[in-house]
Amino acid sequence: MSTDNYKISKKIALSEFATKEVQDAAKKKLKKVRKHISALQDTMYAHGKYSMLVCLQGMDTSGKDSLIREVFKDVNARGVVVHSFKVPTDKELKHDFLWRHYIALPARGKIGVFNRTHYENVLVTRVHPGYILGENIPAIKSVDDLNDAFYHERMEHINNFERHLSENGTIILKFFLHLSKEEQANRLLRRINLREKNWKFSAGDLKERKLWDQYQTCYEDVLNRTSKKNAPWYVIPADDKPTARLIVANTILETLQNYKDIKEPELDEETKSRLTEFKSLLENE
């Protein structure tokens, strides 16, 4: 599997990307990959110079929650922090749109996962521009002020934000879980038909589904304008969940493996020279 096949490195049309790919024995392969991720995260934690930010975006039912659970199942709980961003609170709206994401960033040595991300501010708000009015931006008087130029400038702010993070040691990976409209219908029906899944269903999902084409247009624009070498986007076929999880896990693993300078720190010379002494003390207690 070449993860570069999913990376956005030139202008793309989202319709050119498949929504379904099936890898043989994906679940079995994932178990091996996530153990390697866990080991590398332990080393990254000890090294203490890098963090990793994994950003997940996708339409409703694209599988973000279960992907997080399965990909990071073997990572030490100390080493991975997940943030699921909902509608901004009153406190968050009193700050700029990136503030709540900035304060949730992973510390050095840790993997941070954003389940829905700062890109909601140029996706959901572009489909529902009225949400922007809640930010009380001085220059925005009405939704008539929210044109393409506004959102493109906001995307450039995001590019600058991510470049700053990258320059300060945060490894950034961004995944768009590319789901077909047909598969979304199947997953919504499953939530209705299975009693234990009823709690996941929201009538609001059907309202958003009617805006499918608008969302796809907005996603395509975002992918083309914000996939950078320091913070690339990957389009992941999401109709088959096991394969989607495996592709994301492989991308994380390959990326970490490329950082050859991430190594466990060595003991200082004095401590190293006295290891035999310390061993003897413990054995003779």
Side-chain angles (χ1 to χ4, degrees):
M1 178 191 297
S2 175
T3 58
D4 282 344
N5 292 339
Y6 311 97
K7 184 189 289 188
I8 303 302
S9 55
K10 61 181 180 180
K11 188 171 184 180
I12 58 97
L14 198 49
S15 60
E16 297 172 352
F17 286 80
T19 61
K20 187 169 185 178
E21 179 179 331
V22 179
Q23 293 272 341
D24 293 336
K27 291 182 180 178
K28 185 177 181 180
K29 291 175 182 175
L30 176 59
K31 289 180 180 180
K32 293 181 179 180
V33 173
R34 68 190 182 204
K35 288 184 184 300
H36 289 302
I37 292 174
S38 176
L40 281 171
Q41 190 280 318
D42 281 341
T43 302
M44 185 172 72
Y45 185 87
H47 185 242
K49 291 188 178 180
Y50 291 97
S51 61
M52 173 174 272
L53 176 62
V54 175
C55 297
L56 298 175
Q57 284 287 157
M59 299 293 287
D60 293 324
T61 76
S62 59
K64 297 181 291 296
D65 291 336
S66 61
L67 185 149
I68 293 168
R69 181 187 68 237
E70 295 301 320
V71 170
F72 297 101
K73 184 178 288 186
D74 292 332
V75 178
N76 192 312
R78 165 201 70 192
V80 61
V81 182
V82 179
H83 290 276
S84 184
F85 293 99
K86 307 296 185 183
V87 175
T89 64
D90 289 341
K91 179 179 180 179
E92 290 167 345
L93 287 171
K94 292 184 182 298
H95 297 269
D96 69 90
F97 79 96
L98 287 172
W99 178 79
R100 67 175 181 155
H101 306 283
Y102 198 98
I103 62 174
L105 291 169
R108 287 188 174 90
K110 296 191 177 187
I111 297 174
V113 183
F114 283 3
N115 182 354
R116 297 191 183 273
T117 71
H118 39 294
Y119 285 95
E120 293 285 285
N121 296 287
V122 288
L123 290 165
V124 175
T125 64
R126 202 171 184 183
V127 177
H128 300 284
Y131 292 170
I132 292 289
L133 301 182
E135 296 182 21
N136 288 323
I137 302 171
I140 304 301
K141 307 302 181 185
S142 72
V143 293
D144 294 332
D145 297 322
L146 300 171
N147 52 21
D148 286 347
F150 172 85
Y151 290 102
H152 291 164
E153 183 178 12
R154 184 163 275 202
M155 288 181 210
E156 195 55 37
H157 291 323
I158 291 175
N159 286 336
N160 292 335
F161 168 65
E162 291 176 347
R163 183 168 59 251
H164 169 71
L165 298 183
S166 177
E167 290 173 352
N168 284 274
T170 301
I171 303 165
I172 304 171
L173 293 174
K174 303 178 295 192
F175 300 98
F176 170 56
L177 302 186
H178 190 27
L179 185 73
S180 68
K181 194 173 183 181
E182 293 73 21
E183 179 59 21
Q184 188 194 57
N186 292 335
R187 294 181 185 181
L188 289 172
L189 284 169
R190 188 167 181 265
R191 290 180 178 182
I192 293 172
N193 292 331
L194 296 179
R195 185 176 179 182
E196 65 272 22
K197 300 290 184 181
N198 284 172
W199 66 273
K200 288 187 173 184
F201 180 76
S202 168
D205 293 339
L206 299 184
K207 292 181 180 179
E208 291 299 285
R209 182 172 164 80
K210 292 179 180 179
L211 302 170
W212 184 276
D213 290 342
Q214 286 179 249
Y215 274 108
Q216 297 301 300
T217 298
C218 290
Y219 267 112
E220 186 174 295
D221 195 28
V222 162
L223 294 171
N224 282 320
R225 290 180 178 273
T226 63
S227 188
K228 306 295 181 181
K229 187 175 181 180
N230 63 286
W233 274 106
Y234 293 80
V235 178
I236 308 299
D239 283 6
D240 183 73
K241 287 186 176 182
T243 297
R245 296 164 186 164
L246 178 61
I247 296 170
V248 169
N250 269 323
T251 306
I252 292 170
L253 178 59
E254 288 180 10
T255 301
L256 287 174
Q257 288 174 331
N258 285 336
Y259 282 79
K260 304 300 183 184
D261 59 326
I262 298 180
K263 298 178 180 178
E264 294 176 355
E266 293 189 9
L267 290 172
D268 62 87
E269 291 302 321
E270 180 182 354
T271 302
K272 192 185 298 184
S273 67
R274 297 181 64 193
L275 285 179
T276 302
E277 174 189 346
F278 297 142
K279 179 181 178 181
S280 178
L281 287 172
L282 287 168
E283 291 176 341
N284 292 300
E285 281 184 345

